[in-house]
Amino acid sequence: MNKSLLAEFTAREGAEDEVTRLILEYAERVREEDGNLAFDVYTKESHPRAFWIFEVYRDEDAFQAHLKAPYGGPFNTLLTPLIEEDASVLTFLDPVT
């Protein structure tokens, strides 16, 4: 079964351009992962500093491989001081069937 989630965070005032640059660079790398099926980056129309990332991985193993990718830690280290939250807020999703 696919592993799907929504990652959310809010860029600090004035950091939106840097956050956008970082997340788009990161997205390119994640999309190249063998088990990644989607990594779509959005901002909320009514609040452009609010970022939502919809992620889908082939399965739990592919998601775990994503978590172990060598570029994830450095990305999070750069992102954390630029966002209002302590870290991205993750919401794991189940399909309705």
Side-chain angles (χ1 to χ4, degrees):
M1 180 194 305
N2 289 350
K3 182 79 168 187
S4 302
L5 65 131
L6 182 65
E8 303 174 63
F9 54 83
T10 307
R12 292 186 186 277
E13 186 75 40
E16 21 321 36
D17 290 345
E18 181 65 7
V19 169
T20 298
R21 184 188 69 75
L22 286 171
I23 193 65
L24 291 178
E25 287 178 2
Y26 183 63
E28 286 182 28
R29 299 193 76 179
V30 174
R31 290 175 184 144
E32 293 174 355
E33 294 173 11
D34 182 50
N36 178 262
L37 303 177
F39 193 93
D40 300 327
V41 179
Y42 299 91
T43 57
K44 190 173 177 181
E45 187 174 318
S46 63
H47 185 23
R49 290 189 299 116
F51 286 78
W52 293 5
I53 298 89
F54 177 67
E55 304 177 45
V56 181
Y57 300 89
R58 181 183 56 241
D59 53 24
E60 181 65 31
D61 289 342
F63 178 65
Q64 292 302 319
H66 162 71
L67 293 178
K68 294 175 185 166
Y71 41 84
F75 165 76
N76 285 313
T77 298
L78 292 171
L79 181 69
T80 300
L82 299 174
I83 64 175
E84 293 180 356
E85 301 80 6
D86 293 334
S88 297
V89 177
L90 304 182
T91 303
F92 292 91
L93 307 169
D94 287 326
V96 176
T97 57

